[in-house]
Amino acid sequence: MRRGSTWGNKFVENLAANIKISFPDATGYSVINLKYMAKFAAAYPGNEFVQQLVAQIP
């Protein structure tokens, strides 16, 4: 079974549509980009790419 199929047939499509409605000025949340994000998150679980708190302080 493919990973995406466990979410339901239209989950990613509905998520992309809901993001567009809720945040009309946001970009980069297309169906394909959300699928890429899910693959990236699955490939790199944990917080390897999260900045330390000190780096986030302006």
Side-chain angles (χ1 to χ4, degrees), residues 32-53:
I32 192 69
N33 281 349
L34 291 174
K35 289 179 180 181
Y36 287 146
M37 290 177 204
K39 286 181 182 181
F40 183 86
Y44 299 99
N47 59 0
E48 292 96 355
F49 294 96
V50 177
Q51 282 186 320
Q52 292 184 351
L53 183 58

Side-chain angles (χ1 to χ4, degrees), residues 1-9:
M1 180 182 287
R2 293 182 332 207
R3 181 177 175 84
S5 64
T6 62
W7 293 347
N9 293 335

